[in-house]
Amino acid sequence: MSAPISSRISGLGVHLPERTRTTGETEAELRRRNPRQHLPTGLIRRMTGVESVHLRPDGWDASDLAVAAARVALAESPGEVDLVLFASASQDLVEPATSHIVAAKLGLSSPVMDVKNACNSVVNALQVADALIRTGQYGRVLIASGEAPTVAVRWEVDSHEQFIRSFPGYTMSDGGAALVLEASDDEGAGIRATRFLAVSKHWGIGTLPGGGTMRPHDVDAGYFDMDGHGLQRAFLELGPEPVLGLLRDRGLVWEDFDLVAIHQVALPYLPPVFERLGVPDDRTVVTVRDHGNLASATLPLQLQLARERGMLREGSRALLIGLAGGISLGLAEVIW
């Protein structure tokens, strides 16, 4: 049996918890817990444009969010699952791989593995799944992401400096996403190209140290610690060339795309990025305002919203642009 020529996305699921917290409520809670810090009112909303974030239900883990989304994706594309990839910045435990927990909750007995690269985890999992399907090792792969970053939000700060370094965490949001990839012999559909780039010298700009060997028992390591301006500068240092280079290599222009989905951490960052890339406004879906930073679930959410708005139909072309701490860039061209 010859290997398939491509893989295609046959199922998509997103789960956003109903419980939310507005940015106003976040700021009020910070002021209540830190009366001596004189934290500025309205700063988070002005700096990020985030209006609200989603909060996982009490007792839910990252795997539960992934399972809720996976059930939606599998309902759209029912059938046997040959491999489960848990792709997320979050995890239930250091060991075992969270993919085992996801598979167990779904009642699956297929092989599993975790694919972890911060907010690019889902894009990297697309690359892995596509390669495994193209080489004929698997026919159907479930990618499931469960992001629960609100567990690492620092509510009590001992200085203004610590507040600023904890700042990105206040816009993080919980959610789940899932994709089913399956073998396809259709030359005109599926994952058409992927490209990845890392500038790993910047790994220390943003960290969540807890659970690793560097600070294994440090209670202060369980919170986000990020240089927000440094992270922005690092991404801008990448420049538009990796994205524009992919378009040139593929012989494409922006008018060939029905959707350009890009990872979103703050609303003010988006116009400069789109301007440098030359992306038309009508090709994008803004999610960070109403849903916050959903980490690796962000791009699947944009795919889902684009489908609901009629931007993605059979034959539509989308470009996924992933940005992640570390730092890394991930690109995937997909024909729906």
Side-chain angles (χ1 to χ4, degrees):
M1 178 180 177
S2 61
I5 59 175
S6 68
S7 66
R8 70 180 186 92
I9 298 173
S10 60
L12 170 65
V14 174
H15 177 79
L16 297 177
E18 292 183 4
R19 183 162 59 115
T20 60
R21 184 182 67 238
T22 68
T23 299
E25 291 169 339
T26 297
E27 293 186 333
E29 183 65 13
L30 282 166
R31 289 194 299 272
R32 185 186 71 81
R33 295 200 193 192
N34 303 277
R36 298 182 180 180
Q37 296 302 324
H38 306 291
L39 300 177
T41 301
L43 179 64
I44 297 175
R45 181 182 286 107
R46 289 197 304 273
M47 293 295 291
T48 68
V50 173
E51 296 290 341
S52 63
V53 299
H54 295 271
L55 304 175
R56 62 193 171 118
D58 293 339
W60 276 44
D61 294 313
S63 60
D64 295 301
L65 295 165
V67 165
R71 289 198 169 109
V72 177
L74 290 170
E76 181 179 352
S77 177
E80 294 294 322
V81 173
D82 301 323
L83 175 70
V84 175
L85 300 180
F86 178 76
S88 177
S90 303
Q91 59 191 28
D92 284 9
L93 304 165
V94 173
E95 189 174 345
T98 305
S99 51
H100 284 289
I101 304 173
V102 170
K105 289 178 177 179
L106 289 171
L108 301 175
S109 57
S110 53
V112 303
M113 73 171 88
D114 284 7
V115 176
K116 188 177 182 67
N117 187 16
C119 297
N120 272 346
S121 296
V122 166
V123 185
N124 280 111
L126 279 173
Q127 179 192 30
V128 172
D130 179 56
L132 291 171
I133 289 173
R134 285 176 183 269
T135 54
Q137 297 181 65
Y138 297 102
R140 279 171 48 90
V141 178
L142 170 65
I143 299 171
S145 172
E147 294 289 11
T150 60
V151 71
V153 173
R154 187 191 294 273
W155 288 106
E156 296 177 357
V157 296
D158 58 21
S159 66
H160 182 73
E161 290 71 25
Q162 189 177 69
F163 167 68
I164 294 300
R165 291 195 67 88
S166 305
F167 195 88
Y170 303 124
T171 64
M172 300 300 290
S173 193
D174 299 337
L179 300 161
V180 177
L181 261 68
E182 64 180 31
S184 172
D185 292 323
D186 184 353
E187 293 183 359
I191 312 299
R192 308 313 302 157
T194 58
R195 184 166 297 180
F196 294 87
L197 175 68
V199 187
S200 298
K201 66 181 180 181
H202 295 305
W203 72 266
I205 288 177
T207 64
L208 179 54
T213 59
M214 286 186 177
R215 298 166 63 181
H217 305 299
D218 184 350
V219 295
D220 200 44
Y223 304 101
F224 288 108
D225 180 65
M226 298 187 183
D227 176 359
H229 291 299
L231 194 61
Q232 183 184 19
R233 288 193 300 270
F235 284 137
L236 290 175
E237 183 183 313
L238 289 174
E241 180 53 32
V243 179
L244 300 181
L246 175 66
L247 266 62
R248 284 197 306 272
D249 292 347
R250 296 283 297 148
L252 300 169
V253 294
W254 288 123
E255 285 69 27
D256 294 316
F257 291 90
D258 299 286
L259 172 69
V260 180
I262 187 168
H263 183 64
Q264 301 173 13
V265 298
L267 196 59
Y269 291 4
L270 293 179
V273 171
F274 288 139
E275 183 178 354
R276 293 188 75 187
L277 291 173
V279 176
D281 291 340
D282 62 355
R283 303 294 199 280
T284 64
V285 174
V286 175
T287 53
V288 69
R289 179 192 296 112
D290 297 325
H291 305 288
N293 181 355
L294 282 155
S296 69
T298 298
L299 296 182
L301 172 60
Q302 291 177 39
L303 290 175
Q304 177 62 33
L305 292 176
R307 284 206 309 182
E308 294 173 0
R309 297 173 187 181
M311 297 171 66
L312 275 186
R313 310 176 188 87
E314 184 176 350
S316 293
R317 190 187 308 267
L319 181 65
L320 309 185
I321 304 175
L323 301 167
I327 64 171
S328 70
L329 169 73
L331 305 173
E333 177 200 346
V334 180
I335 297 182
W336 207 251

